[in-house]
Amino acid sequence: MNSDLLSKILLCLSLPFQSLLRLRVVCKFWRDVIDSPDFKKLHTLTKADDPVHIQVSFLNVVPNQLSIRFQHNMKLLMSCRSDHFNGFSLYYGRSDYLVRLVGEVKGLIGINPTGVNVPVAICNPYLGQLKFLPLTTSSDSLCVLVERSVAIGFDEDYKVAQLMWCYKHRGLHAQLYSRRTDSWRELADGGILDDLTLYSIQPIKSACKNGSFAYWRVNQRVNGDIVPKILSLDMRKEVFRTITLPSGHTGTSSIFVEDEHSFRMFEFMNNRTIIFYSRCEGRQVMWKQTMGEKLPSDVPSWSTSFVFLEHEGFEVAYDYRARELICKLSEDFLGPKVVEFRATLISP
């Protein structure tokens, strides 16, 4: 049996990730076929495992080092410790003020320290692999970059986009990393990024796992006023656009992306929920409003399709398949971060 025939058989069987890992140890020939770039690419395009939820713990047991541990069902998937995070410390036992997780896209999770002097890392916890990306500087040597926000995308191979705020120009730079070149390059912004300010630039979580689009919540200058909007980046065409949020919201809402033109935005007032949801009419995104129920505060047994949405002072677990808010977690919830994950064979 040659490698092409074995590859076709394995792909036709549509085997889940864990089964492929077991088949890798059958013999060296099978391992080489499964580890080949062509097989990994085809398996990623044809097979999507059901999501699982992994726990991510940040530890700071050694001065000037940050340890990160990934677990699933109490089983250790991956643990790493690096002095790349030199100078970073935990804040009241939590690290998300300094290090944020981004993704997951195609089985990859991004580790994004907010400081621009610390490299972004990309990891595949199930393969136990982690890679630090090269540090970046602006093409303008006079720019002073002070903060960034990162998102992962996919187009044949993974890409990493970062928005960086420049103190000199008081505006945003956009850069894109490609694994093919192992380098960053500036993205043309078409004038959009010139009007965006530093405040509240946060990545938005999404149910779209193909990595074609990345989303941030931003503020834009409009006729002298600061207006909250959604910024989207088409990772394939490398084009930005902004999406207007509904009028009447408080500006402190949580947003979730259902697909390219479908969003849900949650306002929390007096422990009740106001939900804005979008519908697309051509290229125009229209918004409707509905009143939600009171948020439960008890932590239930988790479903297979939930994410945590960050809000001011607390987090909310949201089941995006059932379109239900599961529970509310207070700010002093110091347990491990929970990340939805679909295992793949893609290496960072």
Side-chain angles (χ1 to χ4, degrees), residues 58-251:
F58 297 92
L59 305 173
N60 195 23
V61 295
V62 178
N64 296 324
Q65 287 189 349
L66 179 65
S67 296
I68 305 175
R69 183 171 58 202
F70 295 85
Q71 291 179 290
H72 173 58
N73 287 341
M74 305 303 293
K75 178 182 178 182
L76 182 64
L77 299 176
M78 173 183 169
S79 181
C80 64
R81 179 183 296 168
S82 176
D83 57 7
H84 277 94
F85 300 101
N86 183 30
F88 275 68
S89 60
L90 304 189
Y91 179 72
Y92 295 129
R94 299 185 64 174
S95 61
D96 51 320
Y97 292 91
L98 300 173
V99 180
R100 288 184 175 272
L101 300 177
V102 295
E104 164 267 350
V105 172
K106 302 291 186 180
L108 299 177
I109 293 176
I111 302 171
N112 173 35
T114 54
V116 295
N117 60 328
V118 182
V120 174
I122 305 296
C123 71
N124 185 328
Y126 268 82
L127 295 181
Q129 298 176 348
L130 180 140
K131 176 182 179 180
F132 285 95
L133 305 187
L135 285 171
T136 62
T137 57
S138 171
S139 57
D140 184 343
S141 60
L142 298 179
C143 288
V144 181
L145 304 174
V146 295
E147 194 167 343
R148 69 172 169 220
S149 185
V150 171
I152 305 176
F154 199 85
D155 178 19
E156 297 291 330
D157 206 340
Y158 76 82
K159 297 177 177 179
V160 181
Q162 62 177 355
L163 302 181
M164 298 182 295
W165 191 73
C166 172
Y167 183 77
K168 174 190 173 185
H169 297 102
R170 304 192 68 81
L172 291 175
H173 294 262
Q175 293 187 341
L176 194 69
Y177 170 88
S178 172
R179 188 171 71 161
R180 297 172 185 169
T181 61
D182 192 31
S183 62
W184 298 87
R185 58 184 173 84
E186 297 281 342
L187 279 178
D189 56 47
I192 291 178
L193 300 185
D194 293 337
D195 293 327
L196 300 180
T197 66
L198 173 65
Y199 313 106
S200 302
I201 298 174
Q202 302 292 344
I204 299 175
K205 294 182 180 180
S206 172
C208 311
K209 302 301 181 182
N210 57 14
S212 299
F213 287 84
Y215 299 87
W216 292 266
R217 184 192 178 113
V218 299
N219 285 314
Q220 188 172 29
R221 298 185 187 94
V222 179
N223 298 323
D225 297 325
I226 302 300
V227 179
K229 291 193 175 184
I230 295 173
L231 176 68
S232 73
L233 170 61
D234 186 327
M235 284 287 196
R236 293 176 179 172
K237 297 180 181 179
E238 300 180 5
V239 175
F240 285 99
R241 77 180 181 114
T242 56
I243 299 166
T244 302
L245 293 175
S247 59
H249 68 94
T250 63

Side-chain angles (χ1 to χ4, degrees), residues 1 5-17 19-20 23 30 34 39 43 46-47 49:
M1 182 184 300
L5 180 57
L6 177 59
S7 178
K8 289 180 180 179
I9 292 173
L10 294 176
L11 289 171
C12 286
L13 291 174
S14 191
L15 296 171
F17 175 82
S19 298
L20 288 174
L23 292 176
W30 284 42
I34 294 173
F39 181 85
H43 183 265
T46 59
K47 174 64 180 175
D49 275 15

